[in-house]
């Protein structure tokens, strides 16, 4: 590995099974392309069947031997998450679950169960889906964070954003929740004597579909910033390292190695003290069980 991990460092994955959530576009799509190119079977877990099928066709056009399948998964609806989990448990076991799907700074929106969309999808949906299928995963569970977690604080007093809504603050909180969940999940898996490990990652600043909700002037400026940011393909490197890297350990957090962790090859990333606070992590775990009705049993 040349001073950091890239797609070129992904080893052969023949015979291994992956689920990648949100795999129809952006980083999830790029991760899926690399995995199938290395021989893996990848399940695209996506909300929109038409977009998932179009993504599978694009991949198959490039890699005719691609081994792909589709799983309907809407992380904004816990009832549908339960249905998706049942389908996973009825299928062959998985080597790796890649929790990649998420939303970023949308207009105020609520999930089916009435929670603010970013916390509901990025954390609660991910928590519920992982909590239901973790026993079916043999190797790794990847949780996608963000450098935005560094400004995040956990505020459970208004999860439906009824008093106020600041989209960036809500995004920061959801990304802090992702890392707290990853750390606590790995601790509980280890305590339970499981070989499965939880690993965190972030893509830096990648120009993907997530930027579609940026304010109009910033959205128009993103092409000018392209030389300084990650492409979706390069932003996928930390996820690929978390999912397949040989020297990765449970609880690791990976991201770009460039200035400010914005772009570059993948390697160790810096998480805030809050993101590794065991008290905060235990409280989030407890609250997440209450809010989703899903107890991972760990």
């Amino acid at each position: 590995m040349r001073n950091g991990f890239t797609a070129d460092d992904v080893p052969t994955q023949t015979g291994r099974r992956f689920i990648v959530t949100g795999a129809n576009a952006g980083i999830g799509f790029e991760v899926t392309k690399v995995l199938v190119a290395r021989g893996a079977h990848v399940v695209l877990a996506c909300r929109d069947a038409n977009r998932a099928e179009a993504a599978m066709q694009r991949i198959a056009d490039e890699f005719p031997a691609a081994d792909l399948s589709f799983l309907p998964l809407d992380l904004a609806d816990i009832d549908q998450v339960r249905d998706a989990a049942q389908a996973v448990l009825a299928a062959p076991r998985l080597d790796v679950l890649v929790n990649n799907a998420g939303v970023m700074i949308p207009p105020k929106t609520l999930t089916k169960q009435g929670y603010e969309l970013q916390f509901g999808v990025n954390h609660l949906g991910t928590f519920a889906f992982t909590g239901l299928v973790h026993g079916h995963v043999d190797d790794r569970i990847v949780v996608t964070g963000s450098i935005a977690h560094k400004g995040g604080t956990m505020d459970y007093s208004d999860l439906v954003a009824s008093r106020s809504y600041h989209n960036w603050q809500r995004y920061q909180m959801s990304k802090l929740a992702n890392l707290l969940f990853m750390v606590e999940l790995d601790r509980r898996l280890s305590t339970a004597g499981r070989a499965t490990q939880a690993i965190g990652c972030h893509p830096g600043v990648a120009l993907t579909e997530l930027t579609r909700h940026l304010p109009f002037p910033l959205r128009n400026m993103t092409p000018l910033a392209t030389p300084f940011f990650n492409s979706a393909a390069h932003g996928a490197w930390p996820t690929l390292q978390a999912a397949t890297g040989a020297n990765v350990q449970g609880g690791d957090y990976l991201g770009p190695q460039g200035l400010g962790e914005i772009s570059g090859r993948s390697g160790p990333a810096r998480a805030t003290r809050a993101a590794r606070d065991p008290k905060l992590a235990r409280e989030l775990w407890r609250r997440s069980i209450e809010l989703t009705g899903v107890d991972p049993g760990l």
Side-chain angles (χ1 to χ4, degrees):
M1 189 171 65
R2 307 164 307 285
N3 299 316
F5 190 100
T6 75
D8 291 338
D9 297 300
V10 175
T12 298
Q13 299 297 308
T14 301
R16 286 166 63 81
R17 290 176 52 83
F18 293 73
I19 286 181
V20 180
T21 68
N24 61 270
I27 288 166
F29 178 78
E30 299 296 334
V31 167
T32 300
K33 280 177 59 178
V34 174
L35 292 174
V36 299
R38 300 296 190 276
H41 172 79
V42 181
V43 180
L44 289 79
C46 308
R47 180 173 54 87
D48 189 307
N50 291 332
R51 296 186 69 191
E53 289 167 4
M56 289 192 289
Q57 186 59 58
R58 293 198 306 274
I59 294 171
D61 288 344
E62 186 172 351
F63 304 102
D67 189 3
L68 298 163
S69 58
F70 167 62
L71 173 72
L73 175 64
D74 183 357
L75 293 172
D77 181 354
I78 299 300
D79 293 333
Q80 205 281 324
V81 168
R82 290 181 180 276
D83 292 340
Q86 286 300 312
V88 171
L89 296 177
R93 294 183 65 83
L94 298 165
D95 293 285
V96 181
L97 166 62
V98 177
N99 289 301
N100 162 79
V103 292
M104 177 180 176
I105 59 173
K108 181 181 175 181
T109 312
L110 301 182
T111 67
K112 179 74 177 296
Q113 283 71 36
Y115 300 110
E116 188 275 321
L117 187 68
Q118 294 181 99
F119 185 70
V121 168
N122 297 353
H123 172 63
L124 291 178
T126 295
F127 175 90
F129 185 62
T130 304
L132 291 165
V133 306
H134 70 84
H136 210 59
V137 182
D138 291 330
D139 187 4
R140 303 180 189 186
I141 297 170
V142 178
V143 180
T144 304
S146 167
I147 54 177
H149 88 275
K150 295 179 180 181
T153 57
M154 296 308 304
D155 178 8
Y156 300 107
S157 63
D158 187 20
L159 291 179
V160 298
S162 60
R163 293 197 300 270
S164 66
Y165 179 69
H166 188 289
N167 57 8
W168 181 246
Q169 290 176 355
R170 294 281 172 170
Y171 180 69
Q172 290 175 305
M173 183 177 82
S174 74
K175 293 288 106 180
L176 174 58
N178 285 147
L179 291 190
L180 287 167
F181 170 51
M182 181 276 292
V183 171
E184 184 66 4
L185 174 62
D186 188 69
R187 186 188 71 79
R188 289 175 181 253
L189 288 167
S190 178
T191 299
R194 293 275 303 281
T196 309
Q197 297 178 319
I199 299 154
C201 62
H202 78 84
V205 180
L207 299 179
T208 70
E209 275 198 346
L210 284 181
T211 61
R212 67 188 180 277
H213 292 303
L214 286 172
F216 180 74
L218 292 177
R219 192 164 65 246
N220 273 7
M221 289 174 62
T222 51
L224 302 176
T226 298
F228 307 100
F229 294 163
N230 265 339
S231 64
H234 291 180
W237 292 344
T239 306
L240 288 166
Q241 184 179 19
T244 70
N247 298 314
V248 175
Q249 302 294 322
D252 283 354
Y253 179 47
L254 306 168
Q257 299 300 283
L259 181 66
E261 298 183 7
I262 290 173
S263 63
R265 299 171 185 269
S266 178
R270 291 177 292 277
T272 61
R273 182 178 298 178
R276 295 195 178 276
D277 184 326
K279 183 177 179 181
L280 277 179
R282 289 192 298 270
E283 177 64 10
L284 177 64
W285 190 277
R286 183 182 70 80
R287 295 285 191 122
S288 300
I289 292 172
E290 292 177 353
L291 295 170
T292 65
V294 173
D295 186 341
L298 290 169

